[in-house]
Amino acid sequence: MKRFNVGVIGATGMVGQRFLTILENHPWFDVKVVAASARSAGKTYREAVGEKWVMPTDIPSNAADLIVMNATDDIDKIASQVDFVFCAVDMKKDEIRALEEAYAKAECPVVSNNSAHRGTPDVPMVIPELNSDHIHIIPAQRKRLGTKRGFIAVKSNCSLQSYVPALFPLSEYGVKDVLVCTYQAISGAGKTFKTWPDMVDNVIPFIGGEEEKSEQEPLKIWGKIDGDKIVPASTPNFTAQCIRVPVSDGHMGAVFVRFESKPSKEDILKKWRDFKGKPQELELPSAPKQFLHYFEEDNMPQTKLQRNLENGMAVSIGRLREDTQYDYKFVCLSHNTLRGAAGGAVLLAELLCAEGYMDR
């Protein structure tokens, strides 16, 4: 695979920082541009991020001395220096939509961590192991935008990536009704315990907009391309409660599921054990070797122990058992800023590169 020059838009925020740590030694991608708001523009990245750096490792040497560019004013200049950009900006949704379309129209593909375009019918929202075929909507999107190379592709909400990957391989049994409660880390809000002391020894039973995303976004993942748009599926039926818990990283889901045709426990475990997606077939650099890991122990998975499994890109599952009202219940776990955010976006970019969508 040839090497690609990339930019990170929104590089000073927590997800932007995570992008840079993942990309530091990436075998395909070279970071050439970091961009942020006007108040950071013109400084070195090290100066701009300063004490806001929250990653467990040092600022990557390949980014530390880059001059931060203006994410909104330097679009054409940025587009001329990179093959594509990752986007993780903190702006209003309408502003994000406009910004990402501006990059795409400047013939700079966008792989976005943001939610602004997840509902756009011709923008693929991809968990690469599950619905990699959705990237084939990109020619229709390019036609709408009037671009040759430019397009937008997005990853899904971070909490979905703990439980949807466990349900999707069971589709042949007719996943009918799903109740899920998610227990979400504070890094999902871009916070640490230092910046959010109110979360120490506390649980907050509300995360704005999260339950709607948890109920609606899976239907797009289960959807199909129909002409120039992705049509969401009508089932499964999802209902969700989303709770913020005092954990640094790692989203856990407690799942209850009902099927049209109830499988055996052995059938489910085999589906999870054998499941592979396009990233595993293509051996993409960020792909976990084993996507879904099942733990037999009653007290597993645990956030602290399993969130970094396979570089934080695997999903951990446990406690599969029959339920008195649904068919089965189980718990699952994923790293929200790796698999759920920056890592999932990097994996999506690898898929797009391998399938030729980033070629010039």
Side-chain angles (χ1 to χ4, degrees):
M1 178 61 67
K2 70 173 186 177
R3 299 192 71 85
F4 295 84
N5 293 331
V6 306
V8 178
I9 312 302
T12 56
M14 182 177 283
V15 176
Q17 294 177 26
R18 182 66 79 179
F19 270 121
L20 292 174
T21 61
I22 294 171
L23 295 170
E24 183 175 14
N25 297 304
H26 196 280
W28 296 1
F29 304 151
D30 296 318
V31 177
K32 297 297 183 183
V33 168
V34 291
S37 65
R39 64 179 175 272
S40 296
K43 302 175 183 177
T44 66
Y45 182 73
R46 189 189 304 279
E47 293 169 340
V49 75
E51 294 184 356
K52 293 185 295 182
W53 183 259
V54 296
M55 294 294 108
T57 55
D58 292 338
I59 296 173
S61 58
N62 63 336
D65 296 322
L66 291 176
I67 301 299
V68 178
M69 300 179 74
N70 189 309
T72 56
D73 292 351
D74 293 336
I75 292 174
D76 289 335
K77 187 176 180 182
I78 292 169
S80 71
Q81 296 182 33
V82 299
D83 295 302
F84 65 92
V85 296
F86 294 102
C87 188
V89 294
D90 182 11
M91 299 165 66
K92 295 178 181 177
K93 278 194 178 182
D94 58 341
E95 295 174 343
I96 295 172
R97 278 193 289 269
L99 182 70
E100 291 180 346
E101 284 208 359
Y103 275 94
K105 288 180 178 178
E107 299 295 357
C108 181
V110 178
V111 180
S112 179
N113 182 73
N114 299 106
S115 65
H117 273 292
R118 290 180 194 159
T120 305
D122 60 6
V123 170
M125 182 181 71
V126 180
I127 297 176
E129 283 86 352
L130 308 188
N131 62 329
S132 61
D133 59 306
H134 283 195
I135 65 175
H136 301 314
I137 196 67
I138 288 172
Q141 185 194 144
R142 283 172 169 164
K143 184 176 180 181
R144 174 177 64 84
L145 295 174
T147 61
K148 293 181 179 179
R149 287 191 71 246
F151 65 87
I152 302 160
V154 301
K155 50 154 286 298
S156 72
N157 178 266
C158 54
S159 65
L160 267 65
Q161 303 197 48
S162 62
Y163 60 89
V164 170
L167 292 166
F168 199 87
L170 309 178
S171 295
E172 70 178 76
Y173 303 113
V175 181
K176 184 180 178 184
D177 300 307
V178 179
L179 182 154
V180 60
C181 294
T182 60
Y183 304 90
Q184 301 186 205
I186 63 173
S187 57
K191 305 285 189 179
T192 64
F193 287 116
K194 181 179 179 180
T195 60
W196 200 3
D198 289 348
M199 274 306 303
V200 176
D201 194 30
N202 195 19
V203 169
I204 298 177
F206 175 73
I207 306 173
E210 201 76 2
E211 288 165 2
E212 294 83 355
K213 295 174 189 174
S214 298
E215 294 171 356
Q216 295 166 11
E217 289 187 17
L219 298 178
K220 186 170 183 179
I221 293 168
W222 255 277
K224 302 294 182 185
I225 295 175
D226 184 2
D228 60 357
K229 60 186 176 182
I230 298 168
V231 179
S234 56
T235 57
N237 303 305
F238 282 87
T239 184
Q241 284 203 106
C242 300
I243 299 168
R244 190 73 72 192
V245 295
V247 167
S248 58
D249 295 298
H251 287 354
M252 183 171 284
V255 180
F256 301 77
V257 58
R258 186 179 292 118
F259 297 94
E260 296 282 357
S261 177
K262 182 180 176 181
S264 68
K265 181 177 178 179
E266 291 71 25
D267 289 336
I268 294 174
L269 292 175
K270 187 175 189 307
K271 288 290 183 185
W272 286 341
R273 184 173 59 250
D274 295 345
F275 185 75
K276 295 183 184 297
K278 200 75 171 179
Q280 285 73 38
E281 292 174 18
L282 296 173
E283 298 183 343
L284 299 178
S286 298
K289 295 291 186 287
Q290 179 72 33
F291 181 34
L292 306 177
H293 290 249
Y294 185 77
F295 292 83
E296 296 284 353
E297 300 91 337
D298 287 340
N299 63 344
M300 296 291 178
Q302 293 182 20
T303 303
K304 188 180 289 188
L305 299 181
Q306 274 83 41
R307 62 187 167 198
N308 290 314
L309 192 63
E310 298 215 37
N311 297 313
M313 293 297 288
V315 174
S316 302
I317 313 170
R319 303 205 68 209
L320 174 66
R321 60 223 191 270
E322 293 195 16
D323 184 59
T324 56
Q325 297 182 42
Y326 287 74
D327 289 330
Y328 288 98
K329 53 191 172 186
F330 58 88
V331 295
C332 37
L333 170 75
S334 65
H335 195 301
N336 57 297
T337 68
L338 289 169
R339 165 55 72 168
V346 171
L347 184 61
L348 173 54
E350 292 169 1
L351 172 67
L352 291 162
C353 289
E355 296 291 331
Y357 286 95
M358 299 301 194
D359 292 347
R360 289 189 176 273

